[in-house]
Amino acid sequence: MITIKNESQIEKMRKAGALLHDVLEKLRGEIEPGVTTLHLDHVAERLIREGGGIPSSKGYEGFPYSICASVDDQVVHGFPNKEKLRKGQLLSVDCTCLLDGWQSDSAFSVVVGGGNDKNQQLVDVTERCFWLGAKQAVAGNHLGDIGFAVQSCAESHGYGVIRDLCGHGIGVDMHEDPNVPNYGRPHRGVTLQPGMTITIEPMISMGTWKVWQEDNGWTIVTRDGSPCSHYEHTLLITDGEPELLSWPGMKVSEAFREGME
Ligand code: MF3
Ligand code: CO
Ligand code: CO
């Protein structure tokens, strides 16, 4: 069942999103060669708790950490560990935070220490896929419009769109209806309405879209070992542009002004 959020619920989701955004920006600043993903996990948990929130990934269906840290061919749900990050690796950080009973969910990818043009292009295109999808996330449009926009962008670069995982509704629960696929056909699927809160989260592979699950029961990797990038925000559907709940003040039109198109 898709729930429509009222103004006071939305206000709480804004606060959760603001905290999460702050935490992720600080994590970004920590990433450099030599740092471990377990360190990032500890920083995330501390910052979320200091902000009065709960790292809601930790314990979610048994997931043991506050962030998902997915490196290179890991798509999502990577376990933070004690290995030192190396220059040129592709790292995705995905985090969910619960504040005052409401969830926010956001992820970004970076090339550790820079210096890897192929990985950087994948990261840039994945963000571009996100913004093109977000541009379609307007009341009256359909979920298929979002998926089509994401898929068209990724495939025009020869990249693969991961199909086994999707964006999702979000609110009191981390995962609510509807599923928000990163592929689709225009005018198909659920019609978007003001007050719906969803995530858009392209997971884009340099090669195949086919994936395996690792033996830990969580981590998803590309079957051909090619690197994968992930980018995610929590959005509120409105009559106009969506509001980026996990990036206060940011506008979709602003992203395009900054050279995304
Ligand atoms: N943040 C993920 C998402 O985008 C879900 C994390 S699963 C968890 O949907 F187990 F890590 F919580
Ligand atoms: Co997420
Ligand atoms: Co999500």
Side-chain angles (χ1 to χ4, degrees):
M1 190 187 67
I2 299 173
T3 57
I4 302 296
K5 277 72 177 182
N6 67 32
E7 189 51 37
S8 78
Q9 296 168 330
I10 291 165
E11 193 51 34
K12 289 181 183 174
M13 290 189 72
R14 284 191 184 107
K15 291 197 169 117
L19 173 58
L20 180 60
H21 183 254
D22 200 37
V23 169
L24 289 183
E25 283 306 296
K26 286 178 176 148
L27 286 187
R28 234 184 224 281
E30 295 276 326
I31 298 169
E32 57 179 0
V35 165
T36 72
T37 49
L38 197 59
H39 167 73
L40 299 176
D41 182 70
H42 293 156
V43 172
E45 175 161 11
R46 178 172 53 77
L47 292 173
I48 290 171
R49 293 198 191 281
E50 279 173 8
I54 294 166
S56 42
S57 293
K58 196 170 190 171
Y60 177 82
E61 293 184 7
F63 188 83
Y65 300 98
S66 299
I67 62 168
C68 302
S70 308
V71 176
D72 291 336
D73 63 331
Q74 295 180 335
V75 178
V76 287
H77 305 162
F79 281 13
N81 63 38
K82 288 182 178 164
E83 279 176 42
K84 291 184 169 148
L85 290 167
R86 296 186 304 276
K87 185 174 165 69
Q89 282 185 317
L90 199 166
L91 169 68
S92 304
V93 175
D94 186 2
C95 189
T96 51
C97 130
L98 184 75
L99 184 66
D100 201 9
W102 291 82
Q103 300 274 5
S104 198
D105 187 3
S106 180
F108 66 91
S109 297
V110 290
V111 178
V112 178
N116 184 328
D117 292 348
K118 281 183 82 178
N119 279 351
Q120 189 60 54
Q121 196 202 2
L122 181 65
V123 168
D124 293 345
V125 170
T126 304
E127 289 188 17
R128 182 177 164 77
C129 288
F130 169 84
W131 290 110
L132 287 165
K135 203 175 177 183
Q136 297 298 322
V138 174
N141 273 5
H142 297 252
L143 282 177
D145 296 314
I146 297 175
F148 180 74
V150 171
Q151 181 179 16
S152 304
C153 174
E155 292 180 351
S156 75
H157 288 85
Y159 294 150
V161 173
I162 306 302
R163 288 151 191 270
D164 294 28
L165 298 117
C166 296
H168 46 90
I170 180 167
V172 168
D173 293 321
M174 184 194 304
H175 295 136
E176 300 185 352
D177 289 338
N179 268 341
V180 181
N182 292 304
Y183 54 88
R185 288 194 280 163
H187 313 305
R188 301 296 178 97
V190 167
T191 306
L192 298 169
Q193 288 175 54
M196 284 173 59
T197 47
I198 60 168
T199 72
I200 298 177
E201 48 179 309
M203 289 153 267
I204 308 298
S205 154
M206 213 180 276
T208 185
W209 56 267
K210 293 186 179 157
V211 296
W212 301 115
Q213 188 174 61
E214 286 187 347
D215 290 341
N216 64 19
W218 275 101
T219 307
I220 306 295
V221 294
T222 56
R223 286 198 189 185
D224 62 1
S226 56
C228 192
S229 174
H230 182 204
Y231 191 76
E232 174 178 28
H233 280 293
T234 299
L235 311 168
L236 168 69
I237 305 300
T238 74
D239 284 317
E241 318 193 358
E243 182 178 333
L244 283 142
L245 296 174
S246 54
W247 193 348
M250 185 57 180
K251 284 185 154 353
V252 176
S253 52
E254 195 60 37
F256 285 94
R257 264 200 291 282
E258 284 174 10
M260 202 62 69
E261 201 170 49

